[in-house]
Amino acid sequence: MLLTDGGEPLGAAAPAARWTVEQVLALAPDDASRKAGNKLGASASWSDTGLDGTGAVWGLCKGSGSKPYRTVVDTTGPAYRCSCPSRKFPCKHALGLLLLRAADGTAVPAGAPPDWAGEWLAGRRDRAEAKARPAAGGDGPADPVAARRRAERRAERIGGGARELEQRLTDLLRGGLASVEQAGYGLWEETAARMVDAQAPGLAGRVRELGSIAASGPGWPVRLLEECALLHLLDTAWLGLDRLPQPLAATVRTRVGLPAPAEGPPVRDRWLVLAQYDSPEGKIVTRRIWLYGGESGRTALLLSFGAAGRSPGHALPVGVTIDAELTPHPGSGRLRAELGERFGVPEPAGTPPPGVSVGEAITAYGRALGDDPWLESWPVTLRDVIPVPGADGWQLVDAQGREALPVTAAALSRPALWKLVAVSGGGPLTVFGECGHRGFDPLAAWPAVAPSAGLAGVETVPLI
């Protein structure tokens, strides 16, 4: 069975840049695929390999059967096709082919793709061109009046759910927070189901989080009260939506769970891929990709979702730079964006964000909370910080030793923490991550370099 996955391709005349091993491994859907791909990253496993200037890489990989697996990768997507039966994207053969190319610049020679690879690549480019052509006739919404009525009915259902949730919160406070342990998780799951019925998935998600707080250790009543207050604030904001400023109203719609399409003029820039990680959320896997525009100075977030065992749509190797257009979504600081047209092929080197001090990072998060009170964290790049262990865990301390940010508990449980320590070597470094009320979650780092060399071209070290 032939399988395919990934974004749309680009045509390019310049030779495609060779990815690093770290960038390839960042594409793996799980640890098992990463280990299996490593075993196939040797020349002995491959024959008839090749690459061309459009970013395509192909080859035949020995398998358990008589016929080798046909594997082709379009690195501009990236996108993958392999004749193996795996349902993972990329499969271990695609990872092995890219690792072979990454480890040895001469192992995959330049050439023209064979027919089986060329047909797939041509089909992808045809689809990309068809997608780029405007639809004939400029069709708009089929029935704008019906669409408005559907939106009004959904808003009424969400309003009903918000009022019911307010009553539940009132009953909770009247009965006392101690009653939460006796009620168990079932009460919250029932309430969350009611919010789903009201077509408010954002409210449902926050209600489910309340159900787990009572078992979260010492101090849980304080945390529960804080989360109840934020949920009450979201309820009342929705019920008074027409009185809110437009940017805040857009944020409230997003937090409640109403989709907001990307809007406004696209921003073209050379975007450095700072981090990519997946978060399981029930039966859905959410992939977050952080980008930084070298010319605009903007940080952007790409979100994609996968269900039923499939990987999310977007996949970009950490550390590459892409020349592309992004269109921002409204609300929440306009961080989220949609990836639009791309130009040329990804390049493996880029200049990291300039970075701010620890104090400036905290100020940036506080300022963002003014626009979005439900914000868990804010993307920042810290400059000249050193990872230092303490009595309560690790901290990122500025080089002068005056300010520090605690590393989040989630980051402390990841092996990448030790990679951060190794990159630092006891000296200052640049770190990108998410700064929030739980601390700082490091996602990427750049080692210190001599002042005369600058940061241009320094390899991005992924930490997640």
Side-chain angles (χ1 to χ4, degrees):
M1 181 187 301
L2 296 180
L3 305 174
T4 180
D5 189 50
E8 291 304 329
L10 303 167
R18 183 158 59 106
W19 293 354
T20 67
V21 171
E22 287 279 5
Q23 290 164 350
V24 174
L25 292 177
L27 296 173
D30 50 41
D31 288 337
S33 298
R34 192 174 292 112
K35 293 177 182 178
N38 265 319
K39 295 179 181 179
L40 296 176
S43 298
S45 302
W46 294 90
S47 62
D48 296 335
T49 58
L51 59 88
D52 65 14
T54 68
V57 186
W58 59 86
L60 303 178
C61 185
K62 294 179 181 177
S64 57
S66 58
K67 294 183 179 180
Y69 294 123
R70 295 176 170 182
T71 307
V72 56
V73 179
D74 185 348
T75 60
T76 63
Y80 325 90
R81 184 174 187 171
C82 186
S83 59
C84 75
S86 174
R87 293 287 179 180
K88 296 179 180 180
F89 300 105
C91 68
K92 63 181 181 180
H93 305 101
L95 290 172
L97 179 60
L98 292 174
L99 287 172
L100 175 66
R101 161 76 168 144
D104 184 353
T106 63
V108 182
D115 291 342
W116 56 269
E119 291 175 0
W120 178 72
L121 292 168
R124 280 177 49 77
R125 294 189 172 94
D126 289 344
R127 290 193 298 274
E129 292 175 359
K131 185 177 180 180
R133 287 194 295 267
D139 294 335
D143 189 343
V145 174
R148 185 178 67 253
R149 289 175 178 170
R150 286 193 298 269
E152 291 173 350
R153 287 195 296 269
R154 182 173 183 181
E156 291 175 0
R157 283 193 289 268
I158 295 175
R163 285 186 285 271
E164 179 179 345
L165 184 53
E166 280 295 285
Q167 186 60 51
R168 296 284 180 106
L169 293 175
T170 301
D171 294 342
L172 170 64
L173 295 179
R174 283 176 178 168
L177 297 182
S179 63
V180 172
E181 287 186 302
Q182 300 173 357
Y185 189 77
L187 172 65
W188 300 108
E189 187 58 39
E190 176 192 349
T191 305
R194 296 285 294 169
M195 297 305 104
V196 171
D197 292 341
Q199 293 186 299
L203 294 179
R206 299 192 77 91
V207 168
R208 289 193 179 98
E209 290 179 6
L210 291 180
S212 63
I213 293 178
S216 61
W220 68 263
V222 174
R223 293 191 292 274
L224 179 61
L225 189 59
E226 290 174 347
E227 291 301 320
C228 286
L230 287 172
L231 190 52
H232 167 68
L233 182 64
L234 184 57
D235 283 341
T236 54
W238 174 262
L239 295 174
L241 192 67
D242 56 343
R243 299 190 299 271
L244 298 180
Q246 183 56 38
L248 182 57
T251 297
V252 171
R253 291 189 187 95
T254 301
R255 292 298 181 186
V256 166
L258 288 177
E263 60 183 19
V267 179
R268 180 176 177 179
D269 206 333
R270 294 179 56 78
W271 301 94
L272 172 64
V273 183
L274 298 171
Q276 172 181 297
Y277 65 94
D278 295 345
S279 302
E281 299 174 3
K283 297 181 180 181
I284 301 294
V285 175
T286 301
R287 173 165 295 168
R288 292 171 171 84
I289 301 178
W290 286 109
L291 305 175
Y292 174 76
E295 297 178 6
S296 64
R298 297 181 61 161
T299 302
L301 174 65
L302 303 181
L303 284 180
S304 58
F305 307 91
R310 293 185 63 86
S311 297
H314 291 308
L316 296 173
V318 174
V320 303
T321 299
I322 59 173
D323 184 359
E325 292 181 340
L326 297 185
T327 304
H329 285 253
S332 301
R334 296 178 67 84
L335 284 177
R336 186 184 175 187
E338 289 295 325
L339 181 61
E341 185 176 358
R342 295 167 60 180
F343 310 90
V345 296
E347 300 177 359
T351 303
V356 299
S357 67
V358 170
E360 290 170 330
I362 297 173
T363 299
Y365 175 54
R367 188 165 50 245
L369 281 174
D371 298 327
D372 183 356
W374 307 276
L375 191 66
E376 292 287 334
S377 60
W378 186 256
V380 294
T381 301
L382 298 176
R383 65 167 184 265
D384 296 332
V385 291
I386 304 171
V388 176
D392 299 323
W394 285 80
Q395 295 180 325
L396 292 176
V397 183
D398 65 21
Q400 291 75 35
R402 293 193 298 262
E403 298 176 313
L405 271 174
V407 176
T408 62
L412 293 175
S413 64
R414 297 197 301 262
L417 173 66
W418 301 108
K419 186 187 294 186
L420 175 65
V421 175
V423 172
S424 168
L429 75 168
T430 300
V431 185
F432 168 78
E434 298 171 359
C435 179
H437 61 92
R438 294 184 177 89
F440 187 85
D441 192 356
L443 303 177
W446 297 266
V449 295
S452 59
L455 284 174
V458 177
E459 180 181 344
T460 304
V461 180
L463 301 176
I464 190 170

